[in-house]
Amino acid sequence: MKKYALSLLFLIAAGVAFAQQVRYYNFENTLNEVNGLSPALTILGEQGGFVLDTLNEVNQNTKTVYRFTKNSGLQFNNTAAGDFLGDNYTIEIYFVFDELSSWKRVVDWKNRKTDWGAYVYYGELNFYNILYSEEAPVIAGEYTYYVITRTAATGQVLIYTDADVKIDFIDNGGHALIDGDGVLNFFHDDLIVPNEASAGAVAMIKLYDYPLTDTEISRNWESLGSQVFGINRPVERVTAPVYPNPALNAFTADLSRFRQEKPVALSLFNQEGRLVYTTTSAAGAGRVEIGTGILSPGLYLLKATQDNLEAVSRVIVR
């Protein structure tokens, strides 16, 4: 029984180590990532501003959004984010363009050095210069739920609006991969043919290190309010290193990856999965020491939670 429980603990720990992750920008008067897990977005071109806007597809609710001027936009520094976006990913955006004549850049993977990338062309979707969508799903002045996925195993790129696939191709040339500059640009046009851009606003950007399925995208579209306003956000896995490990008299949990303005709840489970100890850190503590005097030698799992942030660490007590 103990051997089975021990194996289960290792499987749980391994699953956490390779958990799928999300980076979420909600533009509530800041360009910071909601959970502080990646760098803030960088302004490209002219500085925009935060304004209240009415989101027609979210029950006419108002939300703070980031409004950008024509041929300006935002940049995600993938290198600084630890190469979070690789060749397997999802980009999920809720945005509006003010006008749609000709080409309007949405996403640029090559840091403005080429014309390749994702556009809206007279309201139709386009990945230049591979494919146009057959319909015109994007309307000037109306927010669009826009998703790009790329699957590493096949190179397949899918682009959705309002949960319907409009673009589908195999990216043999790596045109939908971030190049050596290590950045992903939004709404800001390249230098080859300038001014293929529109003023507009963005209410949400989510970046996933895995491709969402059709079912997941449909579910997100159906619960768009939850997505945009941050309700029911998915659990975000962070790390809480433990030292010394193995521990003799005590061990310390490093909680620096959690938000420092709030406390962190900690739970310790033995190898049978029983809860043996709980505590809560003080806000801003950064680390917590836990004594091992009441613990029998063996393997334990320490679970740390704060809102939608969660970390699980293995601890060996001697």
Side-chain angles (χ1 to χ4, degrees):
M1 178 66 180
K2 285 187 178 181
K3 184 176 181 181
Y4 171 79
L6 187 63
S7 299
L8 181 60
L9 287 174
F10 276 107
L11 286 173
I12 293 171
V16 168
F18 294 100
Q20 297 168 328
Q21 298 188 63
V22 186
R23 299 295 182 260
Y24 175 38
Y25 298 87
N26 70 350
F27 304 101
E28 292 290 344
N29 293 304
T30 179
L31 297 179
N32 292 336
E33 198 275 328
V34 167
N35 297 306
L37 300 176
S38 286
L41 298 175
T42 301
I43 295 170
L44 298 173
E46 295 182 13
Q47 182 168 337
F50 297 100
V51 300
L52 276 177
D53 206 353
T54 300
L55 308 184
N56 294 325
E57 291 178 314
V58 192
N59 299 320
Q60 298 290 314
N61 286 322
T62 59
K63 183 191 180 299
T64 301
V65 301
Y66 178 76
R67 175 149 282 277
F68 49 87
T69 60
K70 182 176 182 178
N71 210 31
S72 296
L74 298 166
Q75 181 181 90
F76 174 74
N77 190 324
N78 195 48
T79 300
D83 294 324
F84 178 76
L85 288 182
D87 52 4
N88 209 45
Y89 64 76
T90 299
I91 301 168
E92 189 178 37
I93 320 172
Y94 192 54
F95 74 98
V96 60
F97 281 154
D98 293 346
E99 55 100 8
L100 292 175
S101 61
S102 189
W103 304 85
K104 306 303 174 193
R105 170 78 79 170
V106 182
V107 181
D108 165 28
W109 286 261
K110 309 302 181 184
N111 202 18
R112 307 186 73 201
K113 298 191 297 291
T114 77
D115 240 2
W116 292 85
Y119 295 82
V120 175
Y121 178 69
Y122 287 106
E124 298 178 356
L125 300 194
N126 171 258
F127 195 101
Y128 184 81
N129 60 1
I130 297 175
L131 197 62
Y132 292 84
S133 66
E134 295 180 356
E135 302 177 34
V138 184
I139 300 172
E142 291 188 10
Y143 278 85
T144 297
Y145 176 64
Y146 181 101
V147 181
I148 303 171
T149 69
R150 189 183 192 280
T151 302
T154 61
Q156 183 182 37
V157 173
L158 300 174
I159 306 181
Y160 303 71
T161 54
D162 299 348
D164 290 329
V165 174
K166 303 298 183 182
I167 296 285
D168 181 350
F169 70 94
I170 302 302
D171 184 28
N172 292 322
H175 300 297
L177 294 177
I178 297 173
D179 70 6
D181 287 355
V183 296
L184 187 71
N185 296 335
F186 300 94
F187 317 124
H188 193 39
D189 192 34
D190 61 80
L191 299 173
I192 307 302
V193 181
N195 299 316
E196 293 178 334
S198 170
V202 57
M204 176 192 76
I205 294 177
K206 282 188 176 180
L207 306 174
Y208 303 71
D209 65 352
Y210 61 99
L212 292 176
T213 64
D214 287 348
T215 300
E216 289 170 320
I217 291 169
S218 295
R219 186 172 63 238
N220 286 356
W221 165 240
E222 291 168 1
S223 61
L224 186 60
S226 298
Q227 297 295 307
V228 173
F229 290 95
I231 304 167
N232 298 324
R233 282 177 283 166
V235 170
E236 298 282 352
R237 307 291 184 182
V238 295
T239 58
V242 172
Y243 59 91
N245 194 6
L248 185 59
N249 299 314
F251 62 87
T252 298
D254 181 351
L255 306 178
S256 60
R257 296 304 301 273
F258 290 86
R259 291 187 286 275
Q260 296 304 296
E261 70 273 13
K262 292 185 177 183
V264 178
L266 296 108
S267 303
L268 191 66
F269 299 86
N270 65 15
Q271 62 186 23
E272 280 79 36
R274 294 192 182 95
L275 179 65
V276 296
Y277 179 79
T278 63
T279 189
T280 301
S281 74
R287 57 180 55 86
V288 168
E289 183 177 270
I290 298 175
T292 61
I294 63 171
L295 302 177
S296 301
L299 176 66
Y300 294 82
L301 280 186
L302 179 68
K303 182 178 180 180
T305 59
Q306 180 196 73
D307 297 334
N308 67 314
L309 299 182
E310 181 178 286
V312 178
S313 303
R314 290 180 295 168
V315 187
I316 297 174
V317 174
R318 288 180 172 171

